[in-house]
Amino acid sequence: MADIPYGGLNIRRLNHRSRVSSFCCSEDDLNDFIKNDALIAHSNMTSRTYLCYLNGIVVGFATLAAATIEVKSVEDQPIEGYTPKTYPCIKLARFAVDKNYEGKGIGPYLLRWVMGKFYQISDEIGCRYITVDSKKRSMWFYEKHDFILVEKTRNKLHPTFYLDMCDEGDGTTESSS
Amino acid sequence: MAEPIDLKVILEGDDARRFLEEFERPIISPRKQKMLKEAREIYKANPI
């Protein structure tokens, strides 16, 4: 199945004029979210939803929210005196492609757009990771995009992944000024 | 109504160990580097 050229897709932020009633993916809770909850969350500033359009039709969406990764302990038992540390991240709170447009490259495009959006955000405030709680059937998609599975969540209903967005590699990090 | 969004990831044990090691020394494959470069380009073409 041929991918849709990226030039044919565009992203817009959800607003009260957005038409999402015809969107339909394979997960009922995601359909419910985009039709009934996304605008409310958008209005009360707890998340932001971005719609992916093809020829004026919503074919995918991504919902982002601020979040944290907390490192409780490197041992299985809590260590007395150890203070858990937290790291800032962006949560990919919801992510879906319309089932009529699956397998055409929209998911990879939209996820890359989210990553690009991440860099815009992290240029302004400290942020290092993208996290997601994946549907079981979507785990392959995040693994394919180099997300790391939190092993302890592997057998949960929604296993958790994170992606380190640091793009300064070679085993060293750029020192901050 | 959809389930509320859980905004905290908690890492312990081996997950925490791996995370902390890679936090200090990120390893980026050429494939990942290419993906992140594409991400910047895609966003630049459609910024919001």
Side-chain angles (χ1 to χ4, degrees):
Chain A
M1 195 178 291
D3 280 2
I4 292 169
Y6 285 171
L9 298 167
N10 69 86
I11 310 288
R12 292 179 224 155
R13 203 158 98 153
L14 176 74
N15 61 51
H16 66 276
R17 291 187 302 272
S18 303
R19 294 184 177 183
V20 296
S21 57
S22 62
F23 180 86
C24 186
C25 71
S26 318
E27 303 286 342
D28 290 340
D29 63 326
L30 291 172
N31 294 327
D32 181 36
F33 176 81
I34 192 61
K35 289 170 189 175
N36 299 316
D37 301 318
L39 197 54
I40 296 170
H42 202 92
S43 298
N44 62 30
M45 297 171 68
T46 53
S47 70
R48 293 284 188 241
T49 293
Y50 299 90
L51 306 175
C52 182
Y53 285 83
L54 173 67
N55 298 327
I57 298 169
V58 176
V59 295
F61 75 88
T63 298
L64 307 181
T68 58
I69 292 176
E70 182 177 308
V71 178
K72 278 211 152 169
S73 173
V74 296
E75 306 295 336
D76 284 333
Q77 298 298 324
I79 297 174
E80 196 177 320
Y82 175 82
T83 303
K85 294 182 181 170
T86 56
Y87 299 79
C89 61
I90 299 290
K91 172 116 186 205
L92 182 55
R94 304 276 193 264
F95 188 87
V97 174
D98 188 290
K99 62 184 177 190
N100 295 315
Y101 294 88
E102 283 180 351
K104 296 184 178 178
I106 291 170
Y109 169 83
L110 185 53
L111 183 59
R112 279 165 177 73
W113 184 90
V114 165
M115 293 176 189
K117 179 67 177 172
F118 173 95
Y119 283 126
Q120 185 217 21
I121 294 167
S122 67
D123 273 350
E124 303 292 336
I125 61 170
C127 203
R128 173 90 180 240
Y129 300 91
I130 296 174
T131 64
V132 63
D133 293 332
S134 171
K135 304 285 185 190
K136 284 281 194 184
R137 67 193 286 268
S138 301
M139 288 175 72
W140 69 271
F141 177 75
Y142 295 108
E143 284 164 345
K144 187 179 167 183
H145 288 88
D146 283 351
F147 279 71
I148 293 171
L149 173 67
V150 179
E151 279 298 333
K152 277 207 167 163
T153 68
R154 179 182 284 277
N155 296 320
K156 286 192 169 181
L157 185 60
H158 299 114
T160 298
F161 288 83
Y162 64 88
L163 177 67
D164 188 352
M165 294 297 289
C166 178
D167 55 359
E168 303 274 338
D170 299 318
T172 59
T173 51
E174 187 177 41
S175 57
S176 56
S177 54
Chain B
M1 179 176 269
E3 260 188 59
I5 298 166
D6 185 359
L7 296 177
K8 187 189 268 192
V9 172
I10 296 177
L11 301 179
E12 297 172 288
D14 287 342
D15 290 319
R17 190 173 295 111
R18 177 180 186 176
F19 177 89
L20 291 174
E21 282 170 3
E22 292 180 5
F23 178 81
E24 295 299 334
R25 298 177 63 83
I27 300 167
I28 300 166
S29 66
R31 183 182 84 164
K32 184 176 178 182
Q33 211 150 35
K34 178 172 179 268
M35 177 179 72
L36 297 181
K37 182 169 178 274
E38 284 172 359
R40 290 184 188 271
E41 289 166 359
I42 284 173
Y43 184 78
K44 193 176 171 187
N46 196 165
I48 300 179

